[in-house]
Amino acid sequence: MADNTRFEIPQEMRSMAEASFDQARKAFESFLGQAHQTASAISGTGEAARANAKDITTKAISFAEKNVQASLNYAQQLVHASDLTEIMRLHSEYVQAQMKALAEQASEMGQAVTRAAMDTTKPR
């Protein structure tokens, strides 16, 4: 009976998934390079506006990079999972970690936007 409930991923599917992950990582790295170039080229109407815009953009890019990296790592772990129990454990760990990360990122981004708004409304 135990043999009937075992979850197996064929090696061909694992190989295709690995190739897809490698391709996705390369595409993401290319995207990040472009995003970093754009962030460094930001121009604004004033020193404070430029600094705040760059800070917010840098945070957003960093958060996106971390989140995509976590997703790619999770997907790669799933490909190597040996059974359904391991898949469920990996999923639970991933969801918990992402919920925590997203809450921290939202808080940090909110603080940065609030600082930017306060800086732009200060009389000069």
Side-chain angles (χ1 to χ4, degrees):
M1 177 118 193
D3 290 338
N4 293 339
T5 60
R6 181 152 170 85
F7 179 75
E8 293 277 341
I9 297 176
Q11 184 57 42
E12 294 82 15
M13 288 184 71
R14 287 181 194 265
S15 297
M16 286 184 353
E18 284 289 333
S20 294
F21 292 135
D22 289 341
Q23 195 172 25
R25 282 185 200 277
K26 288 176 186 169
F28 183 64
E29 288 168 2
S30 174
F31 163 77
L32 281 178
Q34 293 296 321
H36 285 293
Q37 284 179 346
T38 301
S40 66
I42 286 180
S43 63
T45 58
E47 184 74 24
R50 269 195 304 278
N52 287 326
K54 187 171 183 175
D55 180 48
I56 291 169
T57 302
T58 301
K59 283 184 188 313
I61 291 169
S62 173
F63 294 158
E65 182 178 7
K66 288 175 185 175
N67 294 336
V68 170
Q69 190 64 43
S71 295
L72 289 171
N73 289 341
Y74 167 62
Q76 193 165 28
Q77 288 174 331
L78 287 178
V79 169
H80 296 288
S82 59
D83 57 30
L84 190 54
T85 302
E86 186 176 2
I87 289 172
M88 296 306 291
R89 180 186 55 78
L90 289 169
H91 180 70
S92 177
E93 290 171 358
Y94 171 75
V95 169
Q96 288 175 1
Q98 282 305 106
M99 293 301 288
K100 181 180 177 190
L102 291 173
E104 290 170 357
Q105 291 168 5
S107 174
E108 196 172 325
M109 189 62 80
Q111 291 171 9
V113 170
T114 300
R115 274 192 308 274
M118 302 272 291
D119 285 349
T120 57
T121 59
K122 283 183 187 174
R124 304 257 175 220

